[in-house]
Amino acid sequence: MPCVSLIIPVYNAQRYLRRCLDSVVKQDFMDMEVLLLNDGSRDKSLEICREYEAADLRIRVIDKENTGVSDTRNTGIRLASGKYLQFMDSDDWLADDAVESMVSAAERADCDLLIADFYRVKQDRYVEKRHIRRTDVMNREEFAMEMAKEPADFYYGVMWNKLYRREIVKRHGLTCDASMNWCEDFLFNLSYIRYADRFLAIQKPVYYYMKRKGSLVSTEAVSTDAVRVKFGLLERYRELYQSMGLYEEHRLKINAYIVAIARDGGAGRMNPRKKKLDPEDVIPEEETSRYQHVEHTFDPVYDQNSRILILGTFPSVKSREQNFYYGHPQNRFWKVLARLTDEELPETVEEKKAMLLKHHIAVWDVIAACDIIGSSDSSIKNAVPADIPRILKDSRITKIFANGDKAYRLYKKHCEKAVGIKAVKLPSSSPANAIFTLDRLTDAWRELICGRDEIRCSLDPAGFQEIVEHAEHCLQNGGK
């Protein structure tokens, strides 16, 4: 039996899903199962889920017809086998040590419900959301008194900043109300609290909650239906506090719930120090319709004799249409390489591959998938790095070059640590880099790739061997 069952409903989430799942696989906590429940998605969400399932033994994908988030969570609860239940939404992500932090605290305190701080993310900024500052174990009455201070607070209402004992959920048949499309988390929590005895809050943010325009939270909090739902929840609140003999003491605060706006920015304590997300991970709301989520569809070019690797950023629209690298007719990549290798300019894909392999050059891109506007490298968001280490295992690559500043920065951010080789930045061969004429670009590439010494360029196979022999001679003779 795993210690934790992490339940993630997925519905048409391809734009944000990789960020979510990357944060899951980064968790060092291994004694867990991750239940990815694809709720009849019509985009590539299921395909992405299967990819992560194949890469991480903790992940299990369940494909089901579309029945909504509450019913999908209930399916996850039925299939879960962990001691604890944890929930997550597919457009959010976890802090790097979220699971470990929550489980360690829950185990030390032997608690039935653990609740944690989280980050509220809006566009390109995030801020810590907190409420309970007590660090000791609370009984039901003490926890209820804390909750009465802010009865409509997201901190208490949502499921994804909490850890639940599965045994309590199973014994009392607790489920999410599939008839509700708003505040179903709150209702589940009110039901669970009635059966829990030991409560613990940790003052550590474990979760990044993405607040987006058009979400249920932002659109339904003021609707007529939401008010009706709140009246129903108010009755549950009353019943909970009446069962503990606390209602009369907190009656005014609890009744005020009906007019409170249950949103994370409107109630509870917020850490005033806002932090900014990496701009490369944020799509501005007003530009969402212009972005397209794109996967890299063609293989790297290399063989066992490849010695240098040249990385682009991500294929342009023309390259994606031609299913090969540097397909835009004004890109100077193939012209520069033809000059450096003293070859005729290749025209076909096969000729281009032959030239690369003849001169021991490998070509790939830094990014395997991303959100992008057309061919604009500067627009790239939510980048997923290519698995560069896998081609290093099957080649003799010792040098890596990045074609342009964007490829260089993305490599440093996403790949350098895993690969273990620092890249050399080449001036971009893109036509947008107009300050570099073809002659100037060729000279710059020759100097950076071949070096300033008199040894022949590594694009020449014989020259590469001479470089190796020269390096070995220097090592044997004290660098002379």
Side-chain angles (χ1 to χ4, degrees):
M1 177 180 74
C3 185
V4 178
S5 294
L6 176 56
I7 298 170
I8 311 175
V10 177
Y11 177 71
N12 290 348
Q14 69 174 25
R15 182 178 297 277
Y16 304 101
L17 186 54
R18 288 187 181 277
R19 179 178 60 194
C20 167
L21 298 183
D22 283 342
S23 77
V24 171
V25 300
K26 284 181 182 177
Q27 302 298 309
D28 289 333
F29 191 82
M30 300 305 295
D31 191 13
M32 64 184 292
E33 61 176 357
V34 181
L35 302 179
L36 289 181
L37 296 112
N38 181 56
D39 187 30
S41 297
R42 296 189 296 272
D43 61 2
K44 292 186 177 180
S45 292
L46 178 59
E47 180 182 329
I48 295 170
C49 289
R50 294 292 189 199
E51 176 187 330
Y52 281 79
E53 180 183 39
D56 195 315
L57 294 176
R58 296 173 294 181
I59 297 176
R60 174 186 171 193
V61 175
I62 297 93
D63 187 24
K64 58 182 286 294
E65 64 179 8
N66 177 244
T67 58
V69 63
S70 291
D71 186 67
T72 302
R73 281 176 175 161
N74 291 338
T75 299
I77 291 171
R78 288 194 299 271
L79 295 174
S81 58
K83 177 179 179 180
Y84 299 103
L85 297 178
Q86 185 179 355
F87 295 87
M88 190 175 181
D89 290 345
S90 58
D91 54 354
D92 301 332
W93 66 100
L94 296 172
D96 288 349
D97 59 349
V99 180
E100 173 70 36
S101 298
M102 297 177 79
V103 171
S104 295
E107 291 283 85
R108 286 196 303 269
D110 190 28
C111 66
D112 299 324
L113 179 70
L114 181 133
I115 186 168
D117 293 353
F118 62 91
Y119 292 116
R120 170 191 178 271
V121 182
K122 187 174 183 180
Q123 294 183 353
D124 64 343
R125 296 184 181 275
Y126 65 100
V127 64
E128 184 179 340
K129 183 72 170 64
R130 55 173 66 170
H131 195 256
I132 297 177
R133 298 295 91 191
R134 291 183 57 166
T135 58
D136 58 326
V137 175
M138 296 167 281
N139 60 31
R140 188 183 304 118
E141 289 76 14
E142 290 171 326
F143 180 78
M145 289 177 69
E146 291 288 336
M147 188 166 65
K149 298 174 184 177
E150 296 286 359
D153 197 322
F154 239 46
Y155 178 87
Y156 298 105
V158 296
M159 298 173 70
W160 33 252
N161 68 328
K162 300 174 178 68
L163 210 59
Y164 307 84
R165 278 194 191 272
R166 185 175 66 90
E167 190 274 333
I168 292 176
V169 174
K170 182 178 179 181
R171 187 197 323 154
H172 298 284
L174 303 181
T175 60
C176 297
D177 190 335
S179 69
M180 298 174 63
N181 61 5
W182 185 72
C183 272
E184 68 276 10
D185 293 31
F186 238 148
L187 182 57
F188 180 90
N189 289 336
L190 288 174
S191 299
Y192 183 89
I193 290 168
R194 296 181 68 122
Y195 303 107
D197 294 319
R198 295 172 62 83
F199 299 78
L200 181 69
I202 59 172
Q203 291 70 44
K204 179 175 184 176
V206 299
Y207 193 92
Y208 291 82
Y209 156 62
M210 174 68 76
K211 184 174 182 178
R212 294 181 290 112
K213 289 182 180 179
S215 67
L216 287 177
V217 170
S218 63
T219 60
E220 295 196 30
V222 294
S223 69
T224 302
D225 183 60
V227 173
R228 178 185 60 79
V229 170
K230 280 190 175 184
F231 270 111
L233 287 172
L234 178 60
E235 290 301 316
R236 295 294 189 93
Y237 258 119
R238 286 173 177 165
E239 292 173 4
L240 175 64
Y241 283 82
Q242 286 170 346
S243 70
M244 295 182 286
L246 298 174
Y247 177 68
E248 290 303 321
E249 179 183 352
H250 299 283
R251 178 169 56 86
L252 293 178
K253 290 180 179 179
I254 295 167
N255 289 340
Y257 167 78
I258 200 63
V259 295
I261 298 176
R263 66 182 184 218
D264 59 310
R269 301 173 188 172
M270 299 286 286
N271 187 328
R273 293 176 296 176
K274 288 187 176 181
K275 300 178 182 179
K276 195 167 185 178
L277 290 172
D278 189 324
E280 292 178 349
D281 294 329
V282 181
I283 297 177
E285 292 285 350
E286 64 274 12
E287 294 186 6
T288 300
S289 61
R290 300 175 60 202
Y291 272 85
Q292 178 185 9
H293 183 79
V294 184
E295 308 269 342
H296 204 304
T297 57
F298 40 97
D299 293 330
V301 178
Y302 74 103
D303 64 15
Q304 68 272 17
N305 295 313
S306 298
R307 291 167 169 116
I308 70 170
L309 170 62
I310 302 176
L311 294 169
T313 306
F314 191 77
S316 66
V317 171
K318 285 293 184 183
S319 295
R320 300 198 295 266
E321 289 174 354
Q322 297 178 20
N323 209 38
F324 199 64
Y325 301 91
Y326 304 102
H328 194 290
Q330 294 180 341
N331 194 296
R332 281 85 53 84
F333 180 83
W334 297 111
K335 292 179 181 179
V336 170
L337 281 193
R339 288 187 173 195
L340 293 182
T341 58
D342 197 23
E343 299 279 358
E344 293 292 327
L345 181 65
E347 299 292 340
T348 68
V349 169
E350 290 308 314
E351 289 174 351
K352 292 172 182 177
K353 288 182 178 179
M355 183 179 74
L356 293 172
L357 297 179
K358 176 182 177 181
H359 295 280
H360 306 308
I361 306 168
V363 169
W364 205 7
D365 290 312
V366 178
I367 301 303
C370 65
D371 294 314
I372 190 171
I373 299 175
S375 302
S376 172
D377 280 357
S378 63
S379 73
I380 288 177
K381 308 288 185 183
N382 302 312
V384 178
D387 184 12
I388 294 171
R390 78 174 172 88
I391 72 171
L392 300 186
K393 295 177 183 177
D394 301 322
S395 68
R396 300 171 64 185
I397 292 170
T398 58
K399 294 184 178 181
I400 296 177
F401 299 89
N403 187 356
D405 181 67
K406 185 69 172 184
Y408 177 75
R409 287 190 291 110
L410 287 170
Y411 178 84
K412 282 187 68 68
K413 177 180 179 180
H414 294 289
C415 306
E416 185 175 280
K417 184 176 180 180
V419 174
I421 300 175
K422 290 186 176 182
V424 175
K425 180 169 66 175
L426 301 170
S428 174
S429 62
S430 166
N433 187 18
I435 194 172
F436 275 80
T437 63
L438 179 59
D439 288 342
R440 185 183 176 195
L441 191 65
T442 303
D443 289 343
W445 277 45
R446 179 178 286 112
E447 181 174 318
L448 289 166
I449 293 176
C450 302
R452 302 187 183 203
D453 56 29
E454 297 301 320
I455 300 174
R456 289 199 302 270
C457 176
S458 61
L459 298 177
D460 176 357
F464 181 87
Q465 183 58 38
E466 191 170 339
I467 290 175
V468 174
E469 292 173 356
H470 177 74
E472 291 175 347
H473 174 78
C474 289
L475 289 173
Q476 293 170 1
N477 294 274
K480 298 180 180 179

Short mmCIF file of all heavy atoms in Angstrom, two decimals, residues 336 340 399 401 424-427 436 439-459 467:
data_model
loop_
_atom_site.label_atom_id
_atom_site.label_comp_id
_atom_site.label_asym_id
_atom_site.label_seq_id
_atom_site.Cartn_x
_atom_site.Cartn_y
_atom_site.Cartn_z
N VAL A 336 25.62 28.52 -44.29
CA VAL A 336 26.81 28.63 -43.45
C VAL A 336 27.53 27.30 -43.34
O VAL A 336 28.76 27.21 -43.50
CB VAL A 336 26.44 29.17 -42.05
CG1 VAL A 336 27.62 29.04 -41.09
CG2 VAL A 336 25.99 30.61 -42.13
N LEU A 340 31.35 26.20 -44.36
CA LEU A 340 32.30 25.69 -43.37
C LEU A 340 32.84 24.32 -43.75
O LEU A 340 33.98 23.97 -43.41
CB LEU A 340 31.66 25.62 -41.98
CG LEU A 340 31.30 26.96 -41.31
CD1 LEU A 340 30.72 26.71 -39.93
CD2 LEU A 340 32.50 27.88 -41.22
N LYS A 399 31.00 18.62 -27.74
CA LYS A 399 30.78 20.06 -27.82
C LYS A 399 29.33 20.34 -28.23
O LYS A 399 28.79 19.66 -29.11
CB LYS A 399 31.72 20.71 -28.84
CG LYS A 399 33.20 20.66 -28.46
CD LYS A 399 34.04 21.41 -29.49
CE LYS A 399 35.50 21.42 -29.10
NZ LYS A 399 36.33 22.16 -30.10
N PHE A 401 26.65 23.54 -29.30
CA PHE A 401 26.51 24.93 -29.72
C PHE A 401 25.03 25.27 -29.83
O PHE A 401 24.22 24.45 -30.28
CB PHE A 401 27.18 25.15 -31.09
CG PHE A 401 28.66 24.87 -31.08
CD1 PHE A 401 29.14 23.59 -31.33
CD2 PHE A 401 29.57 25.87 -30.80
CE1 PHE A 401 30.50 23.32 -31.31
CE2 PHE A 401 30.93 25.62 -30.77
CZ PHE A 401 31.40 24.34 -31.03
N VAL A 424 28.06 26.69 -26.23
CA VAL A 424 28.66 27.90 -26.79
C VAL A 424 27.60 28.59 -27.63
O VAL A 424 26.94 27.95 -28.46
CB VAL A 424 29.89 27.57 -27.65
CG1 VAL A 424 30.43 28.83 -28.32
CG2 VAL A 424 30.96 26.89 -26.81
N LYS A 425 27.40 29.88 -27.42
CA LYS A 425 26.36 30.61 -28.15
C LYS A 425 26.88 31.07 -29.51
O LYS A 425 27.87 31.79 -29.60
CB LYS A 425 25.87 31.80 -27.34
CG LYS A 425 24.79 32.61 -28.03
CD LYS A 425 24.14 33.61 -27.10
CE LYS A 425 25.11 34.67 -26.65
NZ LYS A 425 24.46 35.72 -25.83
N LEU A 426 26.18 30.66 -30.57
CA LEU A 426 26.47 31.11 -31.92
C LEU A 426 25.51 32.23 -32.30
O LEU A 426 24.35 32.23 -31.86
CB LEU A 426 26.28 29.96 -32.92
CG LEU A 426 27.13 28.70 -32.73
CD1 LEU A 426 26.63 27.59 -33.65
CD2 LEU A 426 28.60 29.01 -33.01
N PRO A 427 25.95 33.19 -33.12
CA PRO A 427 24.99 34.17 -33.64
C PRO A 427 23.90 33.45 -34.42
O PRO A 427 24.17 32.50 -35.15
CB PRO A 427 25.85 35.05 -34.57
CG PRO A 427 27.26 34.81 -34.16
CD PRO A 427 27.31 33.41 -33.63
N PHE A 436 24.00 40.51 -38.99
CA PHE A 436 25.02 39.58 -39.45
C PHE A 436 24.77 39.23 -40.91
O PHE A 436 23.80 38.54 -41.24
CB PHE A 436 25.02 38.29 -38.61
CG PHE A 436 25.83 38.38 -37.35
CD1 PHE A 436 25.31 38.99 -36.22
CD2 PHE A 436 27.12 37.87 -37.31
CE1 PHE A 436 26.06 39.08 -35.06
CE2 PHE A 436 27.87 37.95 -36.15
CZ PHE A 436 27.35 38.56 -35.02
N ASP A 439 28.52 36.56 -44.85
CA ASP A 439 29.97 36.47 -44.67
C ASP A 439 30.34 36.61 -43.20
O ASP A 439 31.16 35.85 -42.67
CB ASP A 439 30.67 37.56 -45.49
CG ASP A 439 30.64 37.28 -46.98
OD1 ASP A 439 30.40 36.12 -47.35
OD2 ASP A 439 30.84 38.23 -47.76
N ARG A 440 29.75 37.60 -42.54
CA ARG A 440 30.07 37.82 -41.13
C ARG A 440 29.61 36.65 -40.28
O ARG A 440 30.30 36.24 -39.33
CB ARG A 440 29.41 39.12 -40.66
CG ARG A 440 29.79 39.50 -39.24
CD ARG A 440 29.08 40.75 -38.78
NE ARG A 440 29.38 41.04 -37.38
CZ ARG A 440 28.69 41.89 -36.64
NH1 ARG A 440 27.65 42.54 -37.15
NH2 ARG A 440 29.03 42.08 -35.38
N LEU A 441 28.44 36.12 -40.60
CA LEU A 441 27.90 34.97 -39.85
C LEU A 441 28.82 33.76 -40.01
O LEU A 441 29.12 33.06 -39.04
CB LEU A 441 26.49 34.66 -40.35
CG LEU A 441 25.66 33.67 -39.53
CD1 LEU A 441 25.35 34.24 -38.15
CD2 LEU A 441 24.35 33.35 -40.26
N THR A 442 29.27 33.52 -41.23
CA THR A 442 30.15 32.38 -41.49
C THR A 442 31.46 32.52 -40.72
O THR A 442 31.95 31.55 -40.10
CB THR A 442 30.45 32.26 -42.99
OG1 THR A 442 29.22 32.14 -43.71
CG2 THR A 442 31.31 31.04 -43.28
N ASP A 443 32.03 33.72 -40.73
CA ASP A 443 33.28 33.95 -40.00
C ASP A 443 33.10 33.73 -38.50
O ASP A 443 33.95 33.14 -37.83
CB ASP A 443 33.78 35.37 -40.26
CG ASP A 443 34.29 35.57 -41.68
OD1 ASP A 443 34.57 34.55 -42.35
OD2 ASP A 443 34.39 36.73 -42.12
N ALA A 444 31.97 34.22 -37.97
CA ALA A 444 31.73 34.06 -36.53
C ALA A 444 31.57 32.59 -36.17
O ALA A 444 32.11 32.12 -35.15
CB ALA A 444 30.49 34.85 -36.13
N TRP A 445 30.82 31.85 -36.96
CA TRP A 445 30.62 30.41 -36.68
C TRP A 445 31.95 29.67 -36.78
O TRP A 445 32.23 28.79 -35.97
CB TRP A 445 29.59 29.82 -37.64
CG TRP A 445 28.16 30.05 -37.23
CD1 TRP A 445 27.63 31.21 -36.78
CD2 TRP A 445 27.12 29.09 -37.24
NE1 TRP A 445 26.29 31.05 -36.50
CE2 TRP A 445 25.95 29.75 -36.78
CE3 TRP A 445 27.03 27.76 -37.59
CZ2 TRP A 445 24.72 29.11 -36.66
CZ3 TRP A 445 25.81 27.10 -37.48
CH2 TRP A 445 24.66 27.78 -37.01
N ARG A 446 32.75 30.01 -37.80
CA ARG A 446 34.03 29.32 -37.97
C ARG A 446 34.93 29.55 -36.76
O ARG A 446 35.57 28.62 -36.26
CB ARG A 446 34.73 29.82 -39.24
CG ARG A 446 36.10 29.14 -39.46
CD ARG A 446 36.76 29.60 -40.73
NE ARG A 446 36.12 29.02 -41.91
CZ ARG A 446 35.40 29.71 -42.80
NH1 ARG A 446 35.24 31.02 -42.63
NH2 ARG A 446 34.87 29.10 -43.83
N GLU A 447 34.97 30.78 -36.28
CA GLU A 447 35.82 31.08 -35.13
C GLU A 447 35.35 30.37 -33.87
O GLU A 447 36.15 29.83 -33.10
CB GLU A 447 35.85 32.60 -34.90
CG GLU A 447 36.73 33.01 -33.74
CD GLU A 447 36.84 34.52 -33.62
OE1 GLU A 447 37.00 35.18 -34.66
OE2 GLU A 447 36.77 35.02 -32.48
N LEU A 448 34.01 30.35 -33.65
CA LEU A 448 33.49 29.75 -32.43
C LEU A 448 33.54 28.22 -32.46
O LEU A 448 33.80 27.57 -31.45
CB LEU A 448 32.05 30.21 -32.21
CG LEU A 448 31.89 31.68 -31.81
CD1 LEU A 448 30.44 32.13 -31.94
CD2 LEU A 448 32.39 31.90 -30.39
N ILE A 449 33.28 27.65 -33.62
CA ILE A 449 33.26 26.19 -33.71
C ILE A 449 34.66 25.62 -33.87
O ILE A 449 35.03 24.62 -33.24
CB ILE A 449 32.37 25.72 -34.89
CG1 ILE A 449 30.90 26.08 -34.60
CG2 ILE A 449 32.49 24.22 -35.11
CD1 ILE A 449 29.94 25.76 -35.74
N CYS A 450 35.48 26.28 -34.70
CA CYS A 450 36.80 25.72 -35.01
C CYS A 450 37.89 26.23 -34.08
O CYS A 450 38.96 25.64 -33.98
CB CYS A 450 37.19 26.06 -36.45
SG CYS A 450 35.99 25.44 -37.66
N GLY A 451 37.65 27.37 -33.45
CA GLY A 451 38.67 27.93 -32.58
C GLY A 451 39.61 28.84 -33.32
O GLY A 451 39.58 28.95 -34.55
N ARG A 452 40.45 29.51 -32.58
CA ARG A 452 41.34 30.51 -33.17
C ARG A 452 42.70 29.95 -33.53
O ARG A 452 43.51 30.63 -34.13
CB ARG A 452 41.53 31.68 -32.19
CG ARG A 452 40.21 32.33 -31.80
CD ARG A 452 40.43 33.56 -30.99
NE ARG A 452 39.16 34.13 -30.56
CZ ARG A 452 39.00 35.39 -30.21
NH1 ARG A 452 40.02 36.21 -30.24
NH2 ARG A 452 37.83 35.84 -29.82
N ASP A 453 42.98 28.71 -33.12
CA ASP A 453 44.31 28.18 -33.41
C ASP A 453 44.40 27.70 -34.85
O ASP A 453 43.46 27.82 -35.63
CB ASP A 453 44.68 27.05 -32.43
CG ASP A 453 43.65 25.92 -32.44
OD1 ASP A 453 43.03 25.74 -33.49
OD2 ASP A 453 43.49 25.25 -31.41
N GLU A 454 45.51 27.15 -35.19
CA GLU A 454 45.76 26.75 -36.57
C GLU A 454 45.32 25.32 -36.85
O GLU A 454 45.46 24.83 -37.96
CB GLU A 454 47.27 26.88 -36.88
CG GLU A 454 47.78 28.32 -36.78
CD GLU A 454 47.04 29.25 -37.73
OE1 GLU A 454 46.76 28.83 -38.87
OE2 GLU A 454 46.73 30.38 -37.32
N ILE A 455 44.81 24.63 -35.82
CA ILE A 455 44.34 23.26 -36.03
C ILE A 455 43.11 23.30 -36.91
O ILE A 455 42.27 24.17 -36.77
CB ILE A 455 44.02 22.59 -34.69
CG1 ILE A 455 45.28 22.57 -33.84
CG2 ILE A 455 43.49 21.20 -34.89
CD1 ILE A 455 45.03 22.07 -32.44
N ARG A 456 42.97 22.35 -37.79
CA ARG A 456 41.86 22.35 -38.72
C ARG A 456 40.54 22.25 -38.00
O ARG A 456 40.42 21.64 -36.94
CB ARG A 456 42.00 21.20 -39.73
CG ARG A 456 43.12 21.42 -40.71
CD ARG A 456 42.93 20.54 -41.93
NE ARG A 456 42.87 19.13 -41.57
CZ ARG A 456 43.93 18.35 -41.51
NH1 ARG A 456 45.12 18.85 -41.73
NH2 ARG A 456 43.81 17.07 -41.22
N CYS A 457 39.52 22.81 -38.60
CA CYS A 457 38.18 22.85 -38.03
C CYS A 457 37.65 21.45 -37.75
O CYS A 457 37.88 20.52 -38.52
CB CYS A 457 37.24 23.58 -39.00
SG CYS A 457 35.53 23.61 -38.48
N SER A 458 36.93 21.31 -36.64
CA SER A 458 36.39 20.01 -36.26
C SER A 458 35.31 19.52 -37.21
O SER A 458 34.87 18.38 -37.12
CB SER A 458 35.83 20.06 -34.84
OG SER A 458 34.78 21.00 -34.76
N LEU A 459 34.86 20.38 -38.13
CA LEU A 459 33.91 19.91 -39.13
C LEU A 459 34.58 18.99 -40.14
O LEU A 459 33.92 18.25 -40.85
CB LEU A 459 33.28 21.10 -39.87
CG LEU A 459 32.48 22.05 -38.99
CD1 LEU A 459 31.96 23.22 -39.80
CD2 LEU A 459 31.33 21.33 -38.34
N ILE A 467 42.64 17.53 -33.49
CA ILE A 467 42.33 18.28 -32.28
C ILE A 467 42.45 17.37 -31.05
O ILE A 467 43.02 17.73 -30.02
CB ILE A 467 40.92 18.89 -32.36
CG1 ILE A 467 40.90 20.01 -33.40
CG2 ILE A 467 40.46 19.43 -31.01
CD1 ILE A 467 39.52 20.58 -33.65
#
